Amino acid sequence: MTEQAIEQAAAILSRAKRIVVFTGAGISTESGIPDFRSPGGVWDRFDPTEFTYQRFLSSEDARRKYWSLSKLFYEPLVSANPNPGHDAVVALERWGRLDCIVTQNIDGLHQRAGSSPDRVIELHGTALSVSCLSCRKRHSREEVQARVEAGEEVPRCEGCGGIMKPDTISFGQPMPERETAEAFRRAENCDLCWVIGSSLVVTPAAHVPVAAVNAGAKLIILNGSETPLDEAADVVLRGKAGEVAPRLIERARALAGETA
Ligand SMILES: [Zn+2]
């Protein structure tokens, strides 16, 4: 990544007024959260077809397996802390330029960093709550996970006895309608989509930046590796979110004639 790329991106950022930040696993790996889809990740060790939404709904055995492995997914999330990449997105909001954050992450780290919860659109749900699939009652994940740790193999809703599932989107589970529609609506109305830490391969989430570009927005991609959208981007920054994003915002503010 060159200084020239930073300058180009900063120039775009300094002129943008309604920015949609689109984040993926890359921003959270810098907080020590494993990318479950990467080589050596959880989905290399377990067969995803055994953990589909359909299996979860239809088989008590599948639910038992799901909950017995849930600790593997949950513990890294709660022990992680936001990093300077998340802080940079908070800075963007305080600067008044952020429209919203569309995230593929389920770890709640944007909110914990200080981003306004009503500006965070979680396309793949959240691991921090659990809902009853019958009466929709929401429970904190902490509370349900504690029940599992205490020996409850398949926790049931205390209200109606229904099946409970963490509010993450599983394989084979439809995307949340409201969040998905909102993400696309925001993307179509932004003037800059800034991708941070997403390889843009998981669809339909990855179509959000495409929608922004098609509606005339600029596109900046900051990611550790190539993405299928690099060609469509105005600037591609190859690097770490926690290192590059703060520099970029600082430079953009300087160009906008403001001090950070
Ligand atoms: Zn219930």
Side-chain angles (χ1 to χ4, degrees):
M1 186 187 61
T2 62
E3 284 307 308
Q4 194 192 352
I6 289 261
E7 281 303 307
Q8 284 173 353
I12 292 170
L13 196 61
S14 70
R15 290 190 292 265
K17 301 277 186 273
R18 294 182 314 282
I19 302 170
V20 169
V21 169
F22 181 91
T23 63
I27 194 169
S28 292
T29 51
E30 292 175 33
S31 286
I33 295 177
D35 179 357
F36 297 127
R37 295 173 197 266
S38 68
V42 170
W43 298 124
D44 257 9
R45 286 184 282 151
F46 301 103
D47 179 2
T49 61
E50 292 200 45
F51 294 90
T52 62
Y53 188 53
Q54 288 69 24
R55 291 280 309 251
F56 188 90
L57 291 183
S58 62
S59 154
E60 182 75 359
D61 205 45
R63 291 191 284 274
R64 190 174 298 116
K65 205 162 186 179
Y66 179 99
W67 283 107
S68 76
L69 289 175
S70 63
K71 207 177 160 181
L72 278 181
F73 294 86
Y74 181 63
E75 278 206 337
L77 303 192
V78 282
S79 55
N81 290 306
N83 66 65
H86 297 101
D87 297 338
V89 182
V90 175
L92 202 59
E93 180 178 346
R94 295 197 177 136
W95 189 20
R97 306 295 182 103
L98 179 77
D99 182 71
C100 70
I101 303 160
V102 177
T103 187
Q104 298 172 284
N105 299 333
I106 56 171
D107 49 45
L109 286 182
H110 284 299
Q111 295 91 325
R112 275 180 54 202
S115 290
S116 304
D118 61 359
R119 285 186 192 257
V120 183
I121 300 173
E122 297 173 311
L123 281 185
H124 294 161
T126 175
L128 303 184
S129 62
V130 175
S131 288
C132 170
L133 301 179
S134 300
C135 74
R136 306 307 313 175
K137 184 175 169 9
R138 256 188 158 191
H139 306 252
S140 90
R141 175 70 179 271
E142 197 182 355
E143 170 205 322
V144 176
Q145 201 68 30
R147 285 166 56 186
V148 173
E149 298 307 318
E152 214 173 317
E153 287 191 327
V154 182
R156 288 264 175 179
C157 174
E158 282 174 337
C160 76
I163 295 171
M164 292 203 296
K165 183 183 169 297
D167 291 323
T168 50
I169 305 300
S170 296
F171 292 106
Q173 187 172 359
M175 300 279 288
E177 266 177 49
R178 190 178 57 81
E179 283 82 357
T180 304
E182 182 74 1
F184 279 96
R185 193 181 67 75
R186 300 291 193 111
E188 284 159 7
N189 287 288
C190 73
D191 55 6
L192 167 63
C193 179
W194 180 9
V195 174
I196 306 178
S198 173
S199 301
L200 300 174
V201 290
V202 178
T203 56
H207 294 150
V208 170
V210 176
V213 171
N214 287 346
K218 300 279 188 192
L219 176 64
I220 296 173
I221 297 178
L222 164 55
N223 192 45
S225 57
E226 277 183 23
T227 85
L229 270 192
D230 285 359
E231 290 284 306
D234 293 275
V235 186
V236 175
L237 302 162
R238 195 69 73 232
K240 289 191 163 181
E243 287 166 14
V244 180
R247 277 177 62 200
L248 185 50
I249 290 178
E250 192 185 344
R251 189 65 196 125
R253 293 192 72 148
L255 287 176
E258 298 170 38
T259 47

